[in-house]
Amino acid sequence: RTSRRMPVTLGYWDIRGLAAPMRMICHYGGLEFDENLYSLQEAKGGPSRWFKDNKPDLLKQNPCITLPYIKDGEKVITLSNAVYFYLGRKAGMTGNSDKEKEQVEAILFMSFDLRNDAVAL
């Protein structure tokens, strides 16, 4: 079992994007974290460190690996909603009763719909 005090590693491009909520959850929930930030500029000019170095190693631990991801001990979780749920559970933010859990899920999915609509503007 992973410790709440053992830092998780967040991996994402060097922008706010989908990793911003991950950072917010960690800060609000008191979770320590460090980051692997990958350069978008490097990716546009050729393979970035993400594609050359990190992704091949992480593929061995999670065949669905993409950005964003978190590494927590031996666990590697990828895809934004899965990461948000994992961090929320680790921080004790996902509710105790079924009703609370359903409300948390509804808020997450509603916020994602709002984000998608805002990006389309």
Side-chain angles (χ1 to χ4, degrees):
R1 185 163 182 191
T2 55
S3 164
R4 191 173 178 163
R5 290 288 161 214
M6 184 176 146
V8 297
T9 300
L10 312 180
Y12 196 57
W13 300 114
D14 58 355
I15 60 172
R16 285 180 297 202
L18 297 172
M22 295 164 47
R23 295 179 191 105
M24 291 178 207
I25 293 168
C26 288
H27 283 295
Y28 186 83
L31 302 176
E32 294 182 25
F33 69 97
D34 54 29
E35 297 185 80
N36 277 339
L37 298 177
Y38 304 99
S39 171
L40 278 171
Q41 295 304 318
E42 188 178 275
K44 290 177 184 176
S48 73
R49 182 173 56 90
W50 163 243
F51 292 107
K52 291 187 297 187
D53 301 328
N54 296 98
K55 186 173 183 175
D57 290 336
L58 292 170
L59 269 170
K60 297 172 188 170
Q61 297 172 25
N62 185 328
C64 298
I65 196 68
T66 189
L67 296 175
Y69 72 85
I70 61 167
K71 186 167 171 66
D72 187 10
E74 297 300 314
K75 296 179 185 179
V76 176
I77 296 95
T78 191
L79 300 169
S80 53
N81 283 339
V83 169
Y84 303 153
F85 272 112
Y86 179 83
L87 292 173
R89 282 192 304 271
K90 185 173 176 100
M93 298 167 56
T94 56
N96 296 315
S97 68
D98 285 344
K99 182 177 181 179
E100 289 173 346
K101 290 175 185 177
E102 291 159 4
Q103 290 171 332
V104 167
E105 290 170 4
I107 290 168
L108 173 65
F109 297 133
M110 181 177 63
S111 66
F112 217 72
D113 288 346
L114 290 171
R115 179 214 163 265
N116 289 343
D117 288 345
V119 168
L121 293 178

